[in-house]
Amino acid sequence: MTYPDTITLAKGAHKDRSDGLCLLEAVAWFAGEPHSDHPACVSPVLAAYGRSLNDALGDDSRRLLIPFISVLSRTAGDGLDEARGYLALDWIIRVYTPAWLDVAGLTREARALRDLRCISDMAAVQDARPVVLSAWDAAWAAARDAAWAAAGDAARAAARAAARDALAPIVTQLQDSAIILLSAMIQPETTT
C-alpha cells in the first residue's frame, strides 16, 4: 500500500471509514483493528498527541503524518511513555511557549525558558517551575494590558485578521516542529 496515493487524513473523528480517517483511525485500519481513534496498538501518550496534532494541522500539513501510520501501530506497551511525556513537556516549555512569548515582546522570558536544561526528569521539572511561573505572570500581565488597550477598538475584526496574517509564519513553524516532535516521541532516546 502506498499511503500518499491511497489515504487522505481528515480532521476530527469519523463514524466509519467511508466518512473519512484521522491519523489514529488510519492506524487502527492499518493494524486491522475496529474503526476507532483510540486503537489499542498505539501508546496512549502518542495517541493523545496524534489526535491533537491531526486536528491542529491544515489539510496540506496533515499529509505529513501519513508516514507515521505504520510505526505508531507498534507503540502500545513498549515502556517509553514516560520519556515521551517528558519530550512533550520539554517542547511545550522550551519551544512552543517561548515562540509565543517572543511574539508578545516578552523576549527575556522566552530566552529564560529556552535556556532551561532539557526537561527529561522530575528534577528538571522542579528546576524549571519558577522560570515557567515567572513567564506565566509576565504573559498574563501583557495579555491583560493588551485586552484593556483593545477594549474600545471599533476595528477588532480587522485587527484580528491582521494578527492572524502576522502570526501565520509562527504557526507554521510550530506545526512543523510539532511533527518533528511526533517523530522523536515515537522512539525517544532513553538515558540510562
Side-chain angles (χ1 to χ4, degrees), residues 39-188:
C41 62
V42 179
S43 143
V45 171
L46 289 172
Y49 184 69
R51 281 186 296 276
S52 294
L53 183 58
N54 178 86
D55 291 350
L57 297 175
D59 293 340
D60 290 338
S61 294
R62 195 175 299 114
R63 293 191 58 70
L64 299 173
L65 300 179
I66 292 170
F68 296 105
I69 293 170
S70 65
V71 292
L72 282 169
S73 71
R74 300 184 300 271
T75 58
D78 63 7
L80 299 174
D81 282 350
E82 182 177 356
R84 290 178 177 124
Y86 282 122
L87 278 172
L89 183 59
D90 183 70
W91 183 81
I92 289 168
I93 291 173
R94 296 189 323 126
V95 176
Y96 182 83
T97 302
W100 291 113
L101 290 171
D102 281 337
V103 168
L106 300 170
T107 56
R108 184 174 52 89
E109 290 80 1
R111 170 69 52 211
L113 291 176
R114 283 188 185 102
D115 287 347
L116 289 168
R117 71 181 170 105
C118 181
I119 310 297
S120 59
D121 56 32
M122 191 51 72
V125 171
Q126 291 170 344
D127 290 346
R129 186 175 189 273
V131 180
V132 170
L133 291 175
S134 177
W136 169 262
D137 289 344
W140 180 251
R144 182 190 62 234
D145 294 346
W148 279 109
D153 188 356
R156 283 191 193 121
R160 271 193 296 270
R164 184 178 48 251
D165 292 345
L167 295 176
I170 193 71
V171 169
T172 299
Q173 175 188 1
L174 287 172
Q175 288 177 343
D176 291 346
S177 176
I179 294 169
I180 293 168
L181 174 63
L182 176 61
S183 180
M185 288 173 67
I186 289 171
Q187 191 60 50

Side-chain angles (χ1 to χ4, degrees), residues 8-43:
T8 300
L9 298 179
K11 184 176 182 176
H14 305 89
K15 63 181 174 137
D16 58 41
R17 290 184 181 112
S18 67
D19 189 36
L21 292 171
C22 72
L23 173 63
L24 276 293
E25 292 164 340
V27 173
W29 184 25
F30 175 84
E33 292 189 23
H35 182 77
S36 171
D37 66 352
H38 287 74
C41 62
V42 179
S43 143

